[in-house]
Amino acid sequence: MTTVGILGTIHNPELRERYHCSLSLYKDVIQEFKPDIICGEVHPQSWLRYLKDKNDRGYWGEPASEYWDLILPLCEEQNITFVPIDWFELDVWNAFEPFNGYSSEERKELEQRDDDCFAEQMETYRFGEIPFNSNEFDRVTKQKYE
């Protein structure tokens, strides 16, 4: 039987520290789980660049810092297979503007609602053993996307 674990991470180092989800916590969780494979949000082109030069820190500014600072070195140290997952939609990535087509007043209101939703998401760090890996976070995030 295969067991799959999903570990949500915060891509911003300052927010990781503020909300008590440091790289050392992620490392402990990964080591406790003892994965054979880690899949991550790394663009395939970035992965190929990394394989050629481990100091080449990405394409379009990704992958996120936890990959460089923890996940990729940990995979190498512990002989864990890393598999990049291509979730990118380049048209969205290159021209992300979710509030296009709204008046400036509507845009301001939507941006404020988005900020409020983000703040509510961040407050869920208190729930569960691992910040942002809880039913509360999932509930708030689902509401945000609805």
Side-chain angles (χ1 to χ4, degrees):
M1 179 158 90
T2 300
T3 302
V4 175
I6 299 173
L7 176 61
T9 62
I10 296 293
H11 297 324
N12 179 299
E14 291 81 23
L15 291 179
R16 281 198 298 260
E17 293 306 316
R18 182 183 315 158
Y19 294 107
H20 310 287
C21 49
S22 65
L23 292 182
S24 63
L25 172 66
Y26 292 150
K27 182 177 183 177
D28 291 346
V29 170
I30 291 168
Q31 288 178 317
E32 183 179 329
F33 191 74
K34 298 181 177 118
D36 297 315
I37 296 171
I38 293 179
C39 300
E41 296 174 328
V42 175
H43 192 281
Q45 289 174 317
S46 295
W47 177 243
L48 293 174
R49 288 173 66 149
Y50 172 78
L51 291 175
K52 288 179 185 173
D53 177 0
K54 306 235 189 258
N55 294 311
D56 188 343
R57 284 220 157 197
Y59 187 66
W60 292 309
E62 67 78 36
S65 63
E66 65 269 20
Y67 287 96
W68 301 111
D69 298 335
L70 171 66
I71 296 169
L72 299 175
L74 187 64
C75 286
E76 289 180 15
E77 289 168 16
Q78 299 192 1
N79 203 27
I80 301 168
T81 301
F82 182 82
V83 178
I85 302 299
D86 182 7
W87 61 272
F88 290 76
E89 298 175 58
L90 290 178
D91 59 329
V92 174
W93 182 266
N94 288 324
F96 185 69
E97 192 57 54
F99 305 124
N100 259 353
Y102 292 95
S103 70
S104 67
E105 186 176 304
E106 290 171 313
R107 175 185 288 265
K108 214 176 235 183
E109 180 183 325
L110 290 169
E111 287 171 345
Q112 183 59 55
R113 285 177 58 193
D114 186 55
D115 290 345
D116 293 344
C117 286
F118 181 76
E120 190 176 354
Q121 282 178 301
M122 294 296 98
E123 286 306 308
T124 67
Y125 82 93
R126 297 178 218 168
F127 297 98
E129 293 180 42
I130 306 164
F132 311 112
N133 288 268
S134 66
N135 290 331
E136 289 80 3
F137 178 82
D138 292 347
R139 178 186 54 76
V140 170
T141 301
K142 183 177 181 182
Q143 287 175 340
K144 177 181 178 176
Y145 286 107
E146 286 176 354

